[in-house]
Amino acid sequence: MTTTRIIGLVVLVIGVLLLYFGWQSTQSVGEQLSETLTGRFSDETMWYLIGGAAAAIGGAFMVFCRN
């Protein structure tokens, strides 16, 4: 494996973990109440979800699409 693919794999794993923690956060009672009252999740939860999605997409691109 090339260095780019190894780095991509690490970034992909980090992205998936961030998405998991973000999803877990959305399932908490406090977050559900906040989402019900305001119509959106907290900033911290949104950063986990956005950062995780960006890292997962970037890591997948590095692993599967780069030569």
Side-chain angles (χ1 to χ4, degrees):
M1 284 186 96
T2 64
T3 305
T4 304
R5 288 187 185 234
I6 292 171
I7 292 170
L9 187 60
V10 169
V11 171
L12 177 64
V13 169
I14 290 171
V16 169
L17 285 173
L18 286 173
L19 282 171
Y20 174 75
F21 288 130
W23 179 77
Q24 285 291 325
S25 180
T26 64
Q27 302 303 310
S28 71
V29 174
E31 197 68 33
Q32 289 288 326
L33 181 63
S34 173
E35 197 265 335
T36 301
L37 295 175
T38 64
R40 59 190 173 125
F41 293 115
S42 68
D43 290 341
E44 182 179 347
T45 300
M46 290 304 297
W47 279 114
Y48 275 119
L49 295 172
I50 293 168
I57 290 168
F61 178 76
M62 289 175 75
V63 169
F64 298 115
C65 296
R66 300 283 301 223
N67 290 331

